[in-house]
Amino acid sequence: MTEVFILSLIQGITEFLPISSSSHLILGSEYLNFKNKSLTIDVSLHIGSFIGVLVYFNKDILDFIKNRKLFLKILISSIPVMLVGLILVETNLINNLRNLKVIGWTTMIFGILLYIGDRFHLEKNINEDFNYKSAIIIGFCQILSLVPGVSRSGITITAARILNFKRYDSAKISFLLSIPTLGAVSLFGLHNLIKEESLSFTFLSLISIFFSFIFSFITIKYFLIFIKKFNLSVFVIYRILLGILLLTIAYS
């Protein structure tokens, strides 16, 4: 139960903050020697985050007629990462990227890029300026998030900031982009469970969905409040320090 709680906490927080959920889950599972690490739990964690973002943005989603163009852009923006992600998983190339050196370097390098992106002017907003060109550019940048340590949230916020979107709007674009991505990850995971005939959602699975949902919802809510008042420097500093620590361990 404690392990599931910790994994749910890591997933819920790091999925939506610009610090990389995949790297933290990999590191947490490996170095804390978790016994409950499994495909079922991993799928459950992503389902929880998926539900969290759906619930938080339920008004935007339900108001489909008004927002149909926005969600079409979100869908188009999500296609590149889903296609490349499927190729990496099917060819098993994704596992070659899951090592401490890669995570260390990407954590630090993309932390510095996040800092650079956050220096750009505050001009554009999602309602008036998020066009198909912006959606496609951010969508292709999102492919980089398939590498552990890059952070899907981090790279999409960085790309949106470089395109001169305000911090709040950059974060909202990132969170809305997580909807089709998390949905695809959840469906793909469920497909694999059915394929392996191991689709058995236990009590621990339901608990992981619940806690992941709670932590995801809280993270989205308070990160959007935080980003209205402060810049992203705290996340940049965290990433650089974590990257240095990981590289020190990897090369020692």
Side-chain angles (χ1 to χ4, degrees), residues 60-125:
D60 296 84
I61 296 169
L62 291 175
D63 195 5
F64 180 73
I65 295 177
K66 181 180 177 181
N67 291 297
R68 64 184 183 277
K69 289 185 178 180
L70 171 61
F71 281 97
L72 178 59
K73 294 169 190 173
I74 292 297
L75 182 61
I76 291 173
S77 188
S78 301
I79 290 175
V81 70
M82 289 191 284
L83 289 177
V84 176
L86 181 62
I87 293 171
L88 289 178
V89 170
E90 291 297 324
T91 57
N92 207 35
L93 291 174
I94 192 70
N95 291 323
N96 296 329
L97 301 173
R98 294 174 179 267
N99 65 75
L100 204 57
K101 291 180 181 179
V102 170
I103 295 174
W105 281 112
T106 54
T107 297
M108 187 165 59
I109 291 171
F110 284 90
I112 295 171
L113 287 177
L114 179 66
Y115 174 80
I116 295 172
D118 199 40
R119 301 300 97 189
F120 280 73
H121 298 297
L122 309 175
E123 296 178 0
K124 298 181 180 179
N125 64 71

Side-chain angles (χ1 to χ4, degrees), residues 130-145:
F130 187 59
N131 52 32
Y132 287 101
K133 180 181 178 180
S134 298
I136 292 172
I137 292 173
I138 295 172
F140 276 99
C141 288
Q142 191 176 204
I143 293 175
L144 295 170
S145 68

